[in-house]
């Protein structure tokens, strides 16, 4: 059996095609389209018309690719940049009309739950009580639990792209006043969630997302070419030094640092500040850096709970267009 999932994020639209025999999603093909949706939103978060058209084209290409690879789906969802847009219903309607694929926006807490599931399945039960953090472009997801799914999940407006847009940019590199105000905002928004994580005292803390992976590389973890099965850990103290390195450079020069890609160089500082502040407030000295995140969580939950789960999720979430069965049809052979 072969499934596909499409994730429309702040920077990219990514398709993952995976073989799922035995209940484990093993990727066979991935494609991404760099749309940078977050750079095409108005002051109120409205997504520009040309960016919506780019999203439609990317999702259509993802559907065609899934069919060529004989994969069912795709299971399609969009994260914070679309979820928070005043015109999100119009965006979803145009995607459905232009592609025949029913895309939804998941609540932030649901994203946290799905990413936690991916973390639990990757780390196993020996990880014990588990805390999970995921930095996206528009939001920060936090979850904690002792079982398969979290006991506690939260989504906060502390994404790397959002914080860059709202708090950085007066100076390049930013001055002490800008960084101080950014940290104040993060501490304020994280206060209650951080207190809960400290109180739970997790045995294992894990982080996922491209932002954390790039920061971990900057902090000295081995490159991605060594594969996903190498254990990667990052210390809070090393992340503090990463903040200092990033803050000392203009945005255009941060891509020269290990792990920092050019498309994410501008937002890398905000990502490092929110990551370090979160770990410090939660009392987490060391975290495991995961290769799995929300896409794998969607695939795992679909495998474990069946198609009815996705139908329920898309029925309860913001969606538009054809019935879920159309989005989950088994793709035929290549044209």
């Amino acid at each position: 059996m072969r499934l596909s999932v499409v994730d429309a994020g702040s920077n990219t639209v990514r398709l993952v095609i995976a073989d799922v025999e035995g209940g484990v999603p093993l990727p066979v093909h991935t494609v991404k389209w760099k749309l940078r949706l977050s750079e095409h939103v108005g002051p109120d978060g409205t997504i520009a018309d040309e960016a919506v058209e780019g999203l439609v084209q990317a999702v259509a290409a993802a559907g065609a690719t899934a069919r060529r690879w004989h994969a069912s789906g795709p299971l399609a969802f969009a994260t914070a940049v679309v979820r928070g847009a005043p015109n999100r219903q119009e965006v979803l309607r145009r995607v459905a009309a232009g592609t025949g694929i029913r895309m939804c926006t998941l609540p932030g807490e649901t994203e946290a739950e799905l990413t936690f599931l991916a973390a639990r399945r990757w780390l196993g039960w020996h990880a014990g009580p588990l805390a999970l953090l995921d930095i996206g472009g528009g939001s920060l997801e936090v979850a904690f639990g002792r079982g398969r799914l979290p006991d506690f999940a939260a989504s906060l407006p502390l994404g790397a792209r959002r914080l860059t847009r709202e708090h950085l940019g007066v100076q390049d590199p930013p001055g002490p006043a800008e960084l101080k105000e950014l940290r104040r905002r993060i501490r304020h928004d994280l206060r209650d969630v951080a207190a809960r994580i400290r109180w739970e005292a997790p045995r294992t803390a894990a982080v996922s997302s491209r932002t954390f992976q790039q920061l971990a590389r900057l902090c000295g973890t081995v490159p991605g070419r060594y594969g996903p099965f190498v254990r990667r850990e990052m210390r809070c103290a090393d992340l503090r030094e990463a903040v200092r390195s990033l803050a000392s450079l203009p945005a255009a020069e941060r891509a020269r640092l290990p792990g920092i890609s050019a498309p994410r160089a501008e937002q890398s500082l905000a990502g490092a500040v929110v990551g370090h502040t979160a770990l410090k407030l939660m009392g987490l000295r060391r975290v495991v850096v995961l290769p799995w995140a929300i896409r794998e969580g969607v695939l795992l939950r679909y495998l474990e709970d069946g198609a009815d789960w996705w139908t329920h999720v898309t029925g309860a979430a913001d969606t538009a267009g054809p019935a879920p069965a159309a989005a989950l049809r088994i793709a035929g052979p290549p044209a």
Side-chain angles (χ1 to χ4, degrees):
M1 182 179 179
R2 183 169 284 180
L3 289 175
S4 63
V5 59
V6 170
D7 168 12
S10 296
N11 290 295
T12 63
V13 173
R14 189 180 297 266
L15 167 72
V16 173
I17 299 171
D19 285 337
V20 294
E21 297 297 334
V24 179
L26 299 175
V28 295
H29 188 60
T30 63
V31 189
K32 63 181 178 180
W33 294 264
K34 295 181 180 179
L35 299 186
R36 302 185 187 179
L37 287 177
S38 60
E39 297 180 7
H40 300 279
V41 299
D44 65 345
T46 298
I47 301 175
D49 186 72
E50 62 271 19
V52 177
E53 183 57 32
L55 177 60
V56 171
Q57 294 176 9
V59 174
T65 303
R67 290 191 293 274
R68 287 197 300 272
W69 283 78
H70 306 285
S72 63
L75 311 175
F77 65 95
T79 53
V81 66
V82 176
R83 183 174 67 233
N87 62 333
R88 67 180 178 276
Q89 288 289 355
E90 174 64 14
V91 173
L92 298 175
R93 185 197 65 77
R94 286 179 58 180
V95 169
T99 68
I101 295 171
R102 185 173 181 173
M103 174 173 277
C104 71
T105 59
L106 303 173
E109 292 77 10
T110 301
E111 291 187 13
E113 291 172 359
L114 292 167
T115 308
F116 181 92
L117 173 62
R120 173 61 75 192
R121 289 292 182 252
W122 183 267
L123 293 170
W125 296 111
H126 73 278
L130 173 64
L132 182 280
L133 289 81
D134 184 293
I135 301 175
S139 60
L140 166 69
E141 274 67 57
V142 181
F144 170 85
R146 296 171 176 80
R148 167 179 174 255
L149 296 175
D151 305 314
F152 164 79
S155 180
L156 302 168
L158 296 175
R161 173 62 63 179
R162 180 196 297 266
L163 293 176
T164 299
R165 185 176 66 248
E166 295 179 357
H167 291 277
L168 302 178
V170 176
Q171 302 179 57
D172 188 21
E178 283 184 275
L179 291 174
K180 183 177 181 180
E181 180 59 30
L182 174 59
R183 290 191 181 96
R184 182 183 293 114
R185 155 78 181 279
I186 296 167
R187 287 196 298 267
H188 177 271
D189 287 2
L190 266 175
R191 180 180 55 196
D192 294 337
V193 171
R196 173 68 183 267
I197 298 299
R198 283 200 312 271
W199 181 79
E200 295 284 6
R203 178 188 298 176
T204 304
V207 297
S208 65
S209 75
R210 189 62 175 160
T211 295
F212 266 128
Q213 289 172 353
Q214 292 197 0
L215 291 172
R217 180 71 189 98
L218 179 58
C219 289
T221 61
V222 298
R225 65 177 179 272
Y226 287 88
F229 300 111
V230 175
R231 186 175 176 89
R232 293 172 171 86
E233 295 187 347
M234 178 172 59
R235 300 189 309 157
C236 183
D238 292 335
L239 192 50
R240 180 185 62 224
E241 295 303 315
V243 170
R244 292 176 181 171
S245 296
L246 292 165
S248 69
L249 296 173
E253 296 183 15
R254 293 173 194 153
R256 300 176 183 176
L257 297 173
I260 305 300
S261 66
R264 294 177 182 268
E266 183 182 16
Q267 69 184 56
S268 60
L269 174 57
V273 174
V274 70
H276 174 255
T277 305
L279 298 187
K280 185 176 180 181
L281 290 178
M282 295 174 186
L284 305 175
R285 297 184 178 181
R286 185 184 299 269
V287 295
V288 180
V289 184
L290 301 176
W292 278 5
I294 185 171
R295 290 178 294 274
E296 289 77 15
V298 168
L299 291 171
L300 286 163
R301 192 75 189 271
Y302 182 86
L303 289 170
E304 295 174 5
D305 293 350
D308 288 345
W309 165 77
W310 184 253
T311 301
H312 172 74
V313 167
T314 56
D318 280 332
T319 56
L328 299 178
R329 64 185 181 275
I330 300 297

